Amino acid sequence: TPLADSCRFLWQDYDPSMIYWDVVDTWRKVFLTGAIMLVDTQEGSSKLLRLVIAGIISMLYSFILLAFRPYKRQDDYNLAFLS
């Protein structure tokens, strides 16, 4: 359909089995920018606890990215791994 053709850019870079990978990436971004602020810093942890949690989430995402390999092109992997 014309609508499907005009929206193809949303999923054309993903393997067919990983068409919903963008949802996973969006949840990671929401967590790292917003939900991390809900971590309690009143108990003397300062901002170090937030930094450690964000680092762990980023590392886990990198491992998941390498395991599932949702992109078709190698350049997209490199960019996603660096982000």
Side-chain angles (χ1 to χ4, degrees):
T1 66
L3 179 61
D5 290 338
S6 65
C7 295
R8 187 172 308 276
F9 73 94
L10 293 172
W11 63 79
Q12 71 184 1
D13 293 332
Y14 300 110
D15 284 331
S17 64
M18 295 289 169
I19 198 166
Y20 296 108
W21 184 260
D22 201 31
V23 174
V24 174
D25 191 36
T26 301
W27 276 107
R28 175 189 65 97
K29 291 174 185 177
V30 165
F31 181 80
L32 289 177
T33 57
I36 197 75
M37 296 304 292
L38 300 176
V39 174
D40 185 25
T41 59
Q42 297 299 323
E43 297 298 321
S45 63
S46 185
K47 295 178 181 130
L48 185 61
L49 180 61
R50 290 180 182 169
L51 180 64
V52 169
I53 292 173
I56 290 170
I57 294 298
S58 296
M59 198 176 338
L60 285 173
Y61 178 77
S62 296
F63 291 141
I64 292 170
L65 182 69
L66 291 173
F68 285 102
R69 300 188 62 84
Y71 299 107
K72 291 180 181 177
R73 298 183 330 184
Q74 183 64 35
D75 294 341
D76 292 333
Y77 282 113
N78 296 340
L79 185 60
F81 190 75
L82 290 175
S83 70

